[in-house]
Amino acid sequence: MQQKEFICTTEVMKKLSISRNTLLKMVATGNFPQPLRLTGKCLRWREQVVSDWVAKMERAAECAAQK
């Protein structure tokens, strides 16, 4: 499957199954990568950054489950 370069807030929310508030809180607390602000209200994430973050969280969960 070919990845897009940038994804919008709605796509990130769907990928993570979280609400907009949760996503923005995660960004504000440093628990999720910062978006790129393309224009005043236009936030986008690099899809690879989001995929890498998800993979990192999956590895952390696997390690925790093995302990």
Side-chain angles (χ1 to χ4, degrees):
M1 176 169 66
Q2 184 179 4
Q3 289 188 338
K4 300 181 216 174
E5 189 168 346
F6 296 103
I7 57 175
C8 68
T9 302
T10 303
E11 290 174 280
V12 175
M13 291 165 37
K14 285 180 185 177
K15 187 170 186 149
L16 302 178
S17 298
I18 60 175
S19 70
R20 181 179 304 273
N21 271 350
T22 299
L23 175 60
L24 297 178
K25 285 178 186 177
M26 289 170 63
V27 169
T29 59
N31 293 318
F32 192 74
Q34 290 286 324
L36 301 171
R37 187 173 295 278
L38 302 181
T39 62
K41 292 184 178 182
C42 181
L43 299 178
R44 296 289 185 268
W45 280 263
R46 289 199 180 275
E47 187 164 16
Q48 188 61 52
V49 170
V50 174
S51 295
D52 291 348
W53 182 88
V54 169
K56 179 182 169 186
M57 293 297 109
E58 287 173 343
R59 285 190 304 273
E62 287 171 6
C63 288
Q66 291 176 358
K67 290 184 180 183

